[in-house]
Amino acid sequence: MKKSVRFWRRMLIACILALIALPCGGVVLLSLQNAKLRDEIETRVIGGDDAVTIGTTSYDAASIVRQKPLLSYQLLYPEMKASFSGFNDDLVNPKTVFLTFDDGPSTSTLPILDILKKHGIHATFFVNGKSSVFASSWLKQIAKDGNTIGMHSYTHQYSLIYASVENCIEDLNKNYLYIKNTTAIAPTLVRFPGGSINTYNLKIYPPLCAEMLRRGLIYCDWNVSAGDAIKDATSESMLENVLNGVKLCWGPAFVLMHDNGNADLLKALPQIIERLQAEGYTFAALDNTVRPPMFVYPEEN
Ligand SMILES: [Zn+2]
């Protein structure tokens, strides 16, 4: 009887000890595993040496992306970038009109510049690459007059530039160097041919737009179109399109027009400016402190 009691007492003590020891062992094992995984994560994400600690406020995903480009096109032409310190919405009066001219320089450039000068205003020119010496002098004049020059691709060939993000970066870099080498001013703005989302770039626009912003380059779409590139457009239709469009804007208006030798636009432009000035609108050239319209991603069905 005594033996049996002793046996059961020992069994009870053994069970209690086991109940204490097992969880303790588990805790030690899990802590070791946790430390190992943490080391692995830090090594993979930041190379192990950076002074970045996961789970604290010093964690900066953007700086990691900047330091460790993961995608091939992020390595292309790293010098094509701009310093961007944020939009300053307080500086822009809602009754501001930003006139923008795409596709130049052209034979229209100097007449457009004359009209702008005569009215004491500035505008923005999103230009393509042009090889003629005339084009270079027109480009220089745009900058000399205090207007802004942005990129609009070198070739403007949709099938080429929208075949891949790499192609587009390659083309934009040519455009960037053309502007920088001709005017001594590095562009900070981009207008994609056809806008940031169009039927030609549907497969690549999300990474393409993200890549522009990663480089500090701001892409600008528009919220008013003069319709000057449409077949059968007249100076009257352009005037009407702009006046109606600007009035529909909730805030500043970003007007799409073209610098492409269209005589009707040259006829409409002074009237556009004068009519809007008479209604209290002011005009300005864009820079990268102005928040531009950016076309939104279409909703998935
Ligand atoms: Zn264009």
Side-chain angles (χ1 to χ4, degrees):
M1 191 65 187
K2 259 187 182 175
K3 261 187 183 173
S4 167
V5 169
R6 207 177 298 146
F7 170 77
W8 285 111
R9 192 191 292 157
R10 276 191 197 142
M11 277 299 281
L12 188 66
I13 291 167
C15 283
I16 291 168
L17 285 174
L19 281 172
I20 295 167
L22 279 174
C24 287
V27 165
V28 171
L29 278 175
L30 285 172
S31 311
L32 287 173
Q33 208 172 351
N34 187 29
K36 201 178 139 206
L37 287 171
R38 184 181 286 267
D39 279 353
E40 234 173 83
I41 289 169
E42 290 189 1
T43 311
R44 275 189 207 169
V45 178
I46 57 172
D49 296 330
D50 294 33
V52 179
T53 312
I54 308 273
T56 74
T57 48
S58 64
Y59 176 80
D60 176 3
S63 79
I64 291 165
V65 172
R66 277 197 300 275
Q67 287 167 34
K68 306 274 176 201
L70 301 172
L71 304 160
S72 57
Y73 54 76
Q74 294 182 326
L75 298 166
L76 287 175
Y77 312 110
E79 63 285 352
M80 184 177 71
K81 61 176 186 197
S83 88
F84 172 67
S85 46
F87 298 125
N88 196 338
D89 296 328
D90 297 339
L91 287 182
V92 182
N93 183 316
K95 280 194 96 175
T96 307
V97 178
F98 296 98
L99 297 179
T100 67
F101 299 92
D102 288 8
D103 301 353
S106 79
T107 51
S108 292
T109 306
L110 295 183
I112 291 173
L113 290 176
D114 271 351
I115 295 168
L116 298 177
K117 215 184 281 178
K118 230 172 254 172
H119 291 84
I121 67 169
H122 291 112
T124 305
F125 292 73
F126 290 103
V127 303
N128 299 126
K130 307 272 166 108
S131 53
S132 86
V133 281
F134 294 113
S136 297
S137 75
W138 298 331
L139 192 60
K140 279 183 193 151
Q141 195 61 48
I142 295 172
K144 218 171 162 186
D145 284 5
N147 300 289
T148 299
I149 298 174
M151 294 183 268
H152 189 51
S153 83
Y154 195 85
T155 62
H156 208 284
Q157 276 181 40
Y158 286 56
S159 58
L160 176 84
I161 61 175
Y162 294 139
S164 66
V165 178
E166 284 82 358
N167 274 21
C168 199
I169 299 289
E170 169 116 39
D171 179 282
L172 282 171
N173 184 60
K174 271 176 90 177
N175 197 205
Y176 175 88
L177 291 175
Y178 170 61
I179 297 167
K180 193 180 163 195
N181 295 340
T182 309
T183 66
I185 300 170
T188 63
L189 305 175
V190 181
R191 170 162 292 153
F192 289 111
S196 61
I197 301 178
N198 60 66
T199 49
Y200 297 86
N201 75 358
L202 285 179
K203 285 189 182 150
I204 63 160
Y205 72 83
L208 181 58
C209 292
E211 177 59 4
M212 288 298 106
L213 299 179
R214 190 188 69 84
R215 290 171 186 252
L217 298 166
I218 303 302
Y219 61 91
C220 313
D221 289 316
W222 57 89
N223 53 17
V224 177
S225 173
D228 57 318
I230 294 168
K231 198 175 157 265
D232 300 330
T234 62
S235 57
E236 289 78 23
S237 70
M238 296 172 202
L239 176 65
E240 204 181 306
N241 287 337
V242 176
L243 295 181
N244 292 340
V246 169
K247 275 172 214 162
L248 286 174
C249 289
W250 285 50
F254 299 79
V255 182
L256 170 69
M257 294 187 286
H258 296 83
D259 170 6
N260 61 358
N262 186 339
D264 285 320
L265 181 73
L266 296 177
K267 208 171 139 196
L269 190 55
Q271 301 176 63
I272 289 170
I273 298 167
E274 285 158 28
R275 291 277 294 272
L276 288 171
Q277 279 179 332
E279 292 181 37
Y281 288 92
T282 54
F283 293 82
L286 284 166
D287 61 42
N288 68 355
T289 66
V290 178
R291 185 188 304 277
M294 290 172 168
F295 295 157
V296 292
Y297 287 25
E299 271 181 43
E300 301 245 345
N301 290 316

